[in-house]
């Protein structure tokens, strides 16, 4: 597949769906690396997509302040380089409405192409008060290398924070993930990318290329296992398919988007699929 040529100025893509209906999720496997910068999967089928050319797409159903932020980013021709939607744990059942479940903490990192500097915006909703206070202080008071540049959110107000210097901190992550992080810290292997799903499933990629996961969708589990086997085979000098993972984003109900060197795989709604394929 060949990516369509689009104008240098980012265009605006936006999709709609009914928040009161449960989206049907399907697995899709494209044998090419789609030009995706980052993806965030939120409650009830909501999403934000940033493409490598600066284009962006997002679903209806996001909290109003977040939509205003995205409109402003688009209007100012800024590029999203990192985005995260919170995991408020209200992904099904209970007394909360679908509209409530779509409201989450969010964190966006953008770059202004005219100034070549980074700016940030954030809103806290349905988030543990302690986490909101602590992260807000990091966000507002930190300067230089201590600035927050990326966040991975976990259910119950947990988070993993990346700073400009490469230093990281975390709170409230699943126990098995915390144990893995402590183990790799002893080996001085830093985290490159991380995602924690709405039900506590997780994926983490380290700078060494090693990656680990737990509780993910069966299709993703198989692909990640194949990548591990292929990596071992390549180290031994045998021929193996190239399936090195670049990043994984996990969402509710087992949904995910996974970008590999030679393919893109996701489990999501028809609306998400339409937007991911809009660049081919």
């Amino acid at each position: 597949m060949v990516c369509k040529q689009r104008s240098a100025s980012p265009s605006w893509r936006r999709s709609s769906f009914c928040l009161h209906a449960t989206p049907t999720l399907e697995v899709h496997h494209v044998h090419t690396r789609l030009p995706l910068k980052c993806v965030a999967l939120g409650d009830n089928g909501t999403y934000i997509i940033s493409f490598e050319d600066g284009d962006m797409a997002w679903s209806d159903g996001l909290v109003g302040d977040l939509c205003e932020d995205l409109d402003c980013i688009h209007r100012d021709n800024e590029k999203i380089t990192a985005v995260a939607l919170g995991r408020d744990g209200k992904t099904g059942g209970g007394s909360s409405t679908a509209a409530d479940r779509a409201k989450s903490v969010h964190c966006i990192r953008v770059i202004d192409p005219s100034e070549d500097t980074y700016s940030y915006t954030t809103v806290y909703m349905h988030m543990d008060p302690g986490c909101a206070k602590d992260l807000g202080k990091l966000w507002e008071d930190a300067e230089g290398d201590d600035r927050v540049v990326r966040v991975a959110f976990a259910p119950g107000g947990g988070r993993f924070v990346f700073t400009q210097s490469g230093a990281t901190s975390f709170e409230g992550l699943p126990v098995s993930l915390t144990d893995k992080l402590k183990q790799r810290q002893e080996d001085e292997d830093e985290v490159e990318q991380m995602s924690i799903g709405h039900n506590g499933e997780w994926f983490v990629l380290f700078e060494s290329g090693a990656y680990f996961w737990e509780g993910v969708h069966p299709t993703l589990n198989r692909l990640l296992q194949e990548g591990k086997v292929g990596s071992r085979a390549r180290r031994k000098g045998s021929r193996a398919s190239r399936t090195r993972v670049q990043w994984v984003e996990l969402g509710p109900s087992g949904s995910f988007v996974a970008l590999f060197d030679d393919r893109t795989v996701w489990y999501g709604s028809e609306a998400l699929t339409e937007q991911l394929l809009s660049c081919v």
Side-chain angles (χ1 to χ4, degrees), residues 6-7 9 38 49 111 126 140 144 188 228 236 241 270:
R6 298 193 296 275
S7 63
S9 175
C38 53
I49 305 170
I111 184 170
H126 296 287
E140 295 171 3
E188 298 184 351
K228 290 264 187 182
K236 293 179 179 179
S241 59
E270 181 179 353

Side-chain angles (χ1 to χ4, degrees), residues 185-225:
Q185 282 179 342
E186 293 177 358
D187 298 331
E188 298 184 351
D189 197 4
E190 299 297 332
V191 174
E192 181 173 318
Q193 191 265 331
M194 178 188 295
S195 182
I196 306 99
H198 289 60
N199 294 314
E201 62 273 37
W202 53 266
F203 169 85
V204 58
L205 172 67
F206 292 90
E207 291 181 350
S208 66
Y211 57 87
F212 304 88
W213 68 96
E214 182 176 278
V216 301
H217 187 277
T219 296
L220 179 58
N221 181 67
R222 175 177 57 81
L223 289 168
L224 294 173
Q225 287 179 334

